Amino acid sequence: MASSKKEGSITSNPAEPVAAAFTPEGQELLSQLTPDQAATKKLATELTLSLRKAGHPAGLVSAVVHQLALRFKARAKFGPFAERMILTQAGLEQATRLPVAARHAGRMRDAGVGHVADLGCGLGADAMAMAALGIDVTAVEADEVTAAAATVNTAPFPNVTVVHGLAEEADISAADAVWMDPARRETTTSGTRRRWNPEAFSPPLSFVETLADRGLPMGVKLGPGIPHESIPETAEAQWVEHNGSVVEATLWFNEARRAQVRRAALVLKDDQTAELTSSAAHPDLDSDALALGEDVPIIETDSNLSLPVLSDTATYGTYLHEPAGAVIRAGLVADLAVQLEATGLDPHIAYLTGDTASATPLANSYRIDMVMPYKIKALRSWVRDNRIGQLTIKKRGLDVTPEELRTILLGKGHGDGSATLVLTRIGKQRIVFGCELIPGSAV
């Protein structure tokens, strides 16, 4: 393996201009411009024409404007750090958001780690977060351009060394822990596309398990859609949500894994943090895990009626709860129902109802104002009678396109009122809840 800090030429994907951004001319031009100047395609085109008119070479201009556009997008993940980073499209798509990377680094620090081998470091987000906590990092990246970008991005941290090479061939003898972010995207001439098969990752999940058998504290970042049956029994799986987006599923092994935790949903929302954990595997894989239909009461229905029967033991509560995406991905909806003392609407639908609003980012809570069968004519009348002009539509379990339904229901608009409609089903019955979001509960 060769260190990416050595001198030499950088080859890049011809579909994405990057190489010229590494040159002194590229760095100088980037320092004179801001990402806002390439925030849209129109602005990027105007900037390109302006720079070409000023006499800058086409290749240099293309690379610089491309970097500025990526830096503008990268603000959502890296904040002010994006202003000085070198980026690639694929690297940015897979890069860890800095608040989440800080969580990874904290887990390593709490495990007493002093030197991490970061295998598949990408643009260096996790390496920077760990280095900021005083952890030495050897960051290994297989793609030459990405490794060079990581070298620039981690330059402020003297305790990071970036190496260009394969994760499977990396010398990790000096490390006392491993962090890994396998490549889950492949670059094509038309952009990037996601790989879904864990064995198609680079390196594959089987390599992860083999490395974990060495006994070192280890964390592995995977996509949130990883099948539960693919998760090794020796791992803790933590699904992470940040400001409404489920961004990853992290597997923790050995000393980095928490005792008695098999599944976890971690929700980060601005300055709020909440987590739900379980010692059992997914309900489909472990008979001891909570299953919504067995451990949480379900509203009883009568097929001869247009609406569910309100039984003595399971009725509509004052509120409708919408579990956070990480809770759903982790298979912890039933556990959340127990925590909220809530009732399930349907064993196959991730909506709950109860009499107490959620005070945790683990769920949105909506006050239920009305319940009716899903009938377009009745809904149009309800929207008109309540002078609704702004309408949010959510749905689970129904084949409905919210945008199309909103157009049908609003028409030319009826007033200045606002409402949220939640479309779902209970058994075979299609139901609509008219709701109002409770401030402070949204994730």
Side-chain angles (χ1 to χ4, degrees), residues 259-324:
Q260 305 304 315
V261 176
R262 290 290 304 277
R263 289 175 293 142
L266 175 65
V267 178
L268 310 174
K269 183 201 170 209
D270 298 327
D271 58 349
Q272 291 183 291
T273 301
E275 188 176 31
L276 188 63
T277 66
S278 173
S279 60
H282 192 274
D284 291 340
L285 308 175
D286 189 338
S287 59
D288 292 329
L290 282 177
L292 184 58
E294 297 176 5
D295 295 272
V296 178
I298 303 296
I299 289 179
E300 298 178 5
T301 61
D302 186 328
S303 59
N304 295 320
L305 299 178
S306 60
L307 285 174
V309 175
L310 305 186
S311 70
D312 293 334
T313 58
T315 65
Y316 293 125
T318 306
Y319 302 99
L320 184 72
H321 304 301
E322 177 186 30

Side-chain angles (χ1 to χ4, degrees), residues 338-349:
V338 172
Q339 178 174 307
L340 298 179
E341 297 182 347
T343 298
L345 295 182
D346 182 283
H348 307 291
I349 300 293

Side-chain angles (χ1 to χ4, degrees), residues 16 34 42 49 89 94 105 142 148 191 197 204 215 223 226 266 312 315 317 325 331 340 366 387 390 420 438:
E16 181 178 16
T34 69
K42 181 176 183 294
L49 294 174
Q89 181 65 41
Q94 186 163 319
N197 182 357
I226 182 76
L266 175 65
D312 293 334
T315 65
L340 298 179
Y366 300 85
R387 299 190 56 77
Q390 295 182 344
T420 296
I438 303 302

Side-chain angles (χ1 to χ4, degrees), residues 50-356:
S50 174
L51 292 175
R52 289 292 290 124
K53 186 176 181 180
H56 296 290
L60 177 65
V61 170
S62 179
V64 166
V65 174
H66 182 64
Q67 282 301 304
L68 292 171
L70 289 178
R71 286 178 177 183
F72 183 83
K73 294 179 182 178
R75 285 174 176 172
K77 286 191 173 185
F78 301 128
F81 287 91
E83 306 298 311
R84 52 159 295 275
M85 295 178 71
I86 295 293
L87 306 164
T88 66
Q89 181 65 41
L92 180 56
E93 289 171 351
Q94 186 163 319
T96 306
R97 302 183 186 200
L98 283 188
V100 179
R103 289 276 167 172
H104 301 158
R107 179 78 75 110
M108 289 296 186
R109 177 198 57 200
D110 293 345
V113 169
H115 187 163
V116 171
D118 182 356
L119 305 182
C121 70
L123 297 173
D126 283 294
M128 289 189 289
M130 293 180 194
L133 293 185
I135 300 173
D136 293 336
V137 182
T138 299
V140 180
E141 173 55 47
D143 180 74
E144 184 182 15
V145 172
T146 307
T151 301
V152 173
N153 298 338
T154 60
F157 300 94
N159 51 337
V160 177
T161 299
V162 179
V163 176
H164 173 220
L166 297 175
E168 298 93 323
E169 300 175 358
D171 178 6
I172 63 171
S173 58
D176 56 1
V178 175
W179 172 256
M180 189 181 301
D181 188 357
R184 299 179 300 280
R185 289 184 175 274
E186 58 183 335
T187 302
T188 67
T189 55
S190 58
T192 66
R193 62 185 180 189
R194 191 182 301 275
R195 298 185 180 110
W196 298 103
N197 182 357
E199 285 306 298
F201 298 164
S202 180
L205 190 57
S206 56
F207 174 77
V208 170
E209 295 186 68
T210 299
L211 196 57
D213 289 341
R214 298 190 186 186
L216 293 177
M218 182 172 171
V220 182
K221 175 187 168 184
L222 298 173
I226 182 76
H228 282 258
E229 59 268 21
S230 297
I231 297 172
E233 294 183 3
T234 55
E236 169 199 333
Q238 182 186 55
W239 280 261
V240 181
E241 180 170 333
H242 179 251
N243 286 343
S245 297
V246 186
V247 294
E248 66 180 57
T250 316
L251 305 187
W252 297 102
F253 296 87
N254 305 319
E255 290 301 315
R257 175 187 175 180
R258 293 173 292 182
Q260 305 304 315
V261 176
R262 290 290 304 277
R263 289 175 293 142
L266 175 65
V267 178
L268 310 174
K269 183 201 170 209
D270 298 327
D271 58 349
Q272 291 183 291
T273 301
E275 188 176 31
L276 188 63
T277 66
S278 173
S279 60
H282 192 274
D284 291 340
L285 308 175
D286 189 338
S287 59
D288 292 329
L290 282 177
L292 184 58
E294 297 176 5
D295 295 272
V296 178
I298 303 296
I299 289 179
E300 298 178 5
T301 61
D302 186 328
S303 59
N304 295 320
L305 299 178
S306 60
L307 285 174
V309 175
L310 305 186
S311 70
D312 293 334
T313 58
T315 65
Y316 293 125
T318 306
Y319 302 99
L320 184 72
H321 304 301
E322 177 186 30
V327 173
I328 298 172
R329 290 281 194 176
L332 293 171
V333 174
D335 302 71
L336 179 64
V338 172
Q339 178 174 307
L340 298 179
E341 297 182 347
T343 298
L345 295 182
D346 182 283
H348 307 291
I349 300 293
Y351 283 129
L352 305 169
T353 182
D355 290 321
T356 304

